[in-house]
Amino acid sequence: MPSVADQVVGARAKVAADGARREAPAISSPTAPAERELRLDLFRGLALWLIFIDHLPQNLLTWLTIRNYGFSDATEIFIFISGYTAAFVYGRVMLQRGFVVAAARILKRVWQIYVAHIFLFTIFLAEISYVASRFENPLYTEEMGILDFLKQPDVTIVQAMLLKFRPVNMDVLPLYIALMLFFPPMLALMQRKADLALALSVGLYALTWWFDLALPAYPNGVWFFNPFAWQLLFVFGAWCALGGAKRTSRIIRWPVTLWVCVAYLLFAFYTTLTWHVPQLNYFMPRIVEQWMYPIDKTNLDVLRIAHFLALAALTVRFLPRDWPGLTSPWLRPMILCGQHSLEIFCIGVFLAFAGQFILAELSGGAGMHFIISVCGILIMSAAAWVFSWYKKVAGKSGSRTRTADGDADLAGGGA
C-alpha cells in the first residue's frame, strides 16, 4: 500500500536530510491529517466476521470462509494488518518524539490489551459456567476448555494472568500482546535498517522450526499460536508499512507474479477439496503429500504464509486505494467493525459461545445455523456503529493522542 508507506518513508528522509529531528508535515500537521486507509479497516472487519463464523459449529456460512478454500485463514489477515498499522501509527510517534515516547505508547497499549484480555476471560468464564450449571450440562465446560478452572480455580487464575491458560477461542489476544511487547526495539531497527530487521525475523522463524521454540501453556502443551513463528507475519506487515510495499509494488505488477499466485491458489484449493472429498486424493502424488503434511497452524507453516501472500498480492493488484466500493454503504458495517476491532473481537467471542449454546439446545438445523450467523454479524455491526457514534459525540478534545494510542487496537491503529 504505497500511499501509506510514502508518508512514513518520506518523513524519515526529511529528518535525515535536515540533520535534526523535526516534525514532518505529512504526518504531524494538524491542518492536513493523514487520510485513513479504508482497505485496512475493510479487511480487518472481514477478518472479525470470518473469525466469528469459524468459531461457530459447522454451518452454511462456514463454507464461505477462506479456510475452506486454501491453507490460510482470517488469523493471517489479522496479524499482518496488526504489524502494518502498528508500524505506521507508532512509527510516526517514534519519528516525531523519539524511541522512549514511542515505546511508552506501545507498552501502554499492551497494558490496555492485557486488561481487555483479563476482562474477557472473566466474563467468558462466567458465561460458560452459568450455562453449564443452569442447563445441567457439564459438557460445555469441557468443550470450551475450562474444566481445569473448575477443578483448581486459584491456580488457574494465576496461570491465566500469566497468559498460559486460555479457554477455547481466546488465543488471539495473548499472541498480539506478546508481539507488541517486543515491538519497540524491532520498530527502531526497522526505521534504520528495515531489511535487516526482516532478515532477523526470518532467522527467528527458522530457529523456531529447527529447535522447536515455543511458550508453555497450562495445564499442558504450548501456545496455540506460537509467537516465535507468528512474529514473522507481524514484522513483515511492519516492513511493508515502512517502505516494503512500495518496493515490491513493481514485482506485484509483473504478469508472471499474477500467474504464479493464481496457480498456487488453485493448488491450495484442490488440496483442501481432498479433505472433504477423499476420492480426489487419487490425483495427489504421494510424494507431495509426504512433503506437505502436516500443515502446521501453530508454527505458521510456510504453505500458510505463501497462501496469504498470494491472496494479498492479488488483492493489492485488483483493489486500488481509490476503489469506489470502499465508500459504499453496503461495506460500511464491515469497515466500522474494523475500526473498533478490539471491542468487536470481544463481542464476537461472547456471541460465538451463545450461538453454540443455542444450536446445542435447539438443534434447529441449517436454517437456525444461518439465522444465528447473520444475527451475530448484525449485532457486531450495530455495536460498531454505536462505538463510532459515541466517539463522534464525545468530542474531539485530545483526539490526536487518542488516535495514536486508541486506534492501535487489536489489529493495530488506523492511519
Side-chain angles (χ1 to χ4, degrees):
M1 304 177 184
S3 57
V4 176
D6 287 345
Q7 298 176 42
V8 177
V9 176
R12 187 168 67 239
K14 179 176 177 61
V15 172
D18 293 341
R21 184 168 297 162
R22 301 174 182 175
E23 293 185 347
I27 293 178
S28 59
S29 174
T31 59
E35 183 181 353
R36 192 173 186 110
E37 175 56 86
L38 294 181
R39 287 180 299 180
L40 296 177
D41 295 328
L42 176 68
F43 287 103
R44 187 164 45 189
L46 174 63
L48 287 167
W49 289 10
L50 295 179
I51 290 173
F52 165 72
I53 294 173
D54 285 336
H55 284 173
L56 291 173
Q58 202 79 4
N59 63 78
L60 293 177
L61 287 184
T62 302
W63 292 102
L64 299 179
T65 61
I66 61 176
R67 71 175 184 179
N68 294 295
Y69 304 98
F71 303 135
S72 65
D73 56 28
T75 311
E76 279 82 359
I77 301 175
F78 235 94
I79 298 303
F80 174 81
I81 295 179
S82 298
Y84 191 105
T85 52
F88 177 71
V89 170
Y90 295 113
R92 291 189 300 173
V93 178
M94 191 169 291
L95 283 173
Q96 296 172 14
R97 307 188 63 182
F99 174 82
V100 175
V101 174
R105 294 274 182 90
I106 294 174
L107 294 179
K108 175 185 176 182
R109 195 56 191 167
V110 170
W111 172 251
Q112 293 172 339
I113 301 296
Y114 177 78
V115 171
H117 171 72
I118 298 301
F119 176 81
L120 176 62
F121 171 81
T122 304
I123 302 301
F124 194 46
L125 284 183
E127 181 186 20
I128 299 172
S129 301
Y130 173 78
V131 170
S133 60
R134 176 67 175 80
F135 293 88
E136 299 180 352
N137 190 347
L139 292 179
Y140 287 120
T141 60
E142 182 176 355
E143 182 179 355
M144 302 307 295
I146 69 166
L147 198 57
D148 292 286
F149 169 76
L150 299 179
K151 293 179 180 179
Q152 294 181 302
D154 53 342
V155 176
T156 307
I157 289 178
V158 174
Q159 296 297 329
M161 296 181 67
L162 296 175
L163 303 181
K164 292 184 177 181
F165 175 76
R166 299 176 302 278
V168 175
N169 301 339
M170 285 191 57
D171 297 287
V172 175
L173 282 179
L175 172 64
Y176 188 69
I177 291 172
L179 296 178
M180 286 289 289
L181 185 62
F182 297 97
F183 188 55
M186 178 60 73
L187 180 60
L189 176 61
M190 186 161 288
Q191 289 191 330
R192 292 165 176 80
K193 300 288 185 180
D195 292 343
L196 175 60
L198 183 60
L200 292 176
S201 177
V202 173
L204 178 57
Y205 175 81
L207 292 175
T208 299
W209 279 84
W210 186 263
F211 294 104
D212 293 326
L213 302 179
L215 293 179
Y218 179 84
N220 49 57
V222 296
W223 282 32
F224 183 76
F225 294 115
N226 187 352
F228 296 115
W230 282 85
Q231 55 80 28
L232 175 59
L233 199 58
F234 186 86
V235 172
F236 178 70
W239 179 82
C240 289
L242 299 182
K246 179 181 179 181
R247 293 159 56 187
T248 58
S249 59
R250 183 178 302 176
I251 300 176
I252 293 176
R253 290 195 296 266
W254 287 353
V256 65
T257 303
L258 170 64
W259 292 112
V260 168
C261 291
V262 170
Y264 184 77
L265 292 177
L266 290 176
F267 164 74
F269 174 64
Y270 177 80
T271 302
T272 55
L273 280 182
T274 63
W275 304 343
H276 307 290
V277 185
Q279 293 80 358
L280 294 176
N281 271 320
Y282 177 79
F283 301 99
M284 179 70 70
R286 191 64 56 185
I287 188 174
V288 174
E289 289 186 341
Q290 293 175 352
W291 165 77
M292 185 171 50
Y293 295 123
I295 303 175
D296 192 356
K297 182 175 183 178
T298 294
N299 293 309
L300 189 59
D301 198 284
V302 173
L303 294 176
R304 295 180 65 96
I305 297 177
H307 186 260
F308 167 78
L309 293 179
L311 290 173
L314 294 183
T315 300
V316 172
R317 185 186 182 100
F318 295 108
L319 189 67
R321 178 187 177 91
D322 57 353
W323 180 51
L326 293 173
T327 59
S328 169
W330 296 101
L331 293 180
R332 186 62 179 167
M334 188 179 296
I335 291 175
L336 287 178
C337 287
Q339 293 175 352
H340 302 277
S341 54
L342 176 59
E343 301 92 333
I344 301 303
F345 174 81
C346 295
I347 292 174
V349 171
F350 296 137
L351 291 177
F353 175 72
Q356 290 180 334
F357 159 71
I358 295 174
L359 292 172
E361 296 296 327
L362 298 182
S363 300
M368 181 60 69
H369 280 70
F370 180 80
I371 292 175
I372 289 176
S373 301
V374 173
C375 287
I377 292 175
L378 291 176
I379 293 174
M380 294 164 67
S381 302
W385 181 86
V386 172
F387 294 140
S388 181
W389 170 81
Y390 176 79
K391 186 176 181 180
K392 291 180 180 179
V393 301
K396 297 182 179 180
S397 59
S399 61
R400 187 173 297 106
T401 300
R402 288 198 302 270
T403 299
D405 290 335
D407 281 352
D409 54 13
L410 178 59

